[in-house]
Amino acid sequence: NTYFQLDDWTELVKVLDKPHLLWPINEAFLDQQLDAGKEIWFSHDPDKADGYFLLEVGHIRNRLHGTDFSFEPDGALFKLVRK
């Protein structure tokens, strides 16, 4: 399993001073996980994404375009399910 958690986005943005610099790192992480067939879980509903989370969800949707997948609730979390 691979787990990525960022506890304080605001503090990280202060340190980097340019939040757009985080996207290439996050994009590469998402690509690695998708390519490895890893399970992807979300703490928030991807269908209600906004802000930076919307960028992540949009990237996943674009990468999986043409495949059968869904975001399904599982308790308090949401799971990317590939069919």
Side-chain angles (χ1 to χ4, degrees):
N1 293 333
T2 304
Y3 181 71
F4 181 81
Q5 177 177 337
L6 182 58
D7 291 322
D8 194 343
W9 173 263
T10 305
E11 189 61 32
L12 184 60
V13 169
K14 285 180 191 175
V15 171
L16 288 179
D17 193 34
K18 295 182 178 150
H20 69 277
L21 295 177
L22 293 175
W23 177 243
I25 296 166
N26 197 9
E27 182 180 37
F29 175 80
L30 291 171
D31 287 344
Q32 289 170 356
Q33 302 313 297
L34 290 167
D35 291 345
K38 299 277 185 138
E39 287 188 347
I40 298 183
W41 291 82
F42 304 93
S43 58
H44 297 81
D45 185 347
D47 292 324
K48 296 179 181 175
D50 62 359
Y52 198 85
F53 184 39
L54 183 60
L55 187 62
E56 295 174 322
V57 172
H59 179 71
I60 291 169
R61 284 188 167 128
N62 288 337
R63 280 288 313 270
L64 297 179
H65 180 74
T67 66
D68 192 11
F69 72 95
S70 62
F71 299 112
E72 297 183 6
D74 188 333
L77 301 174
F78 295 82
K79 180 180 179 181
L80 170 67
V81 176
R82 301 177 210 202
K83 301 172 183 176

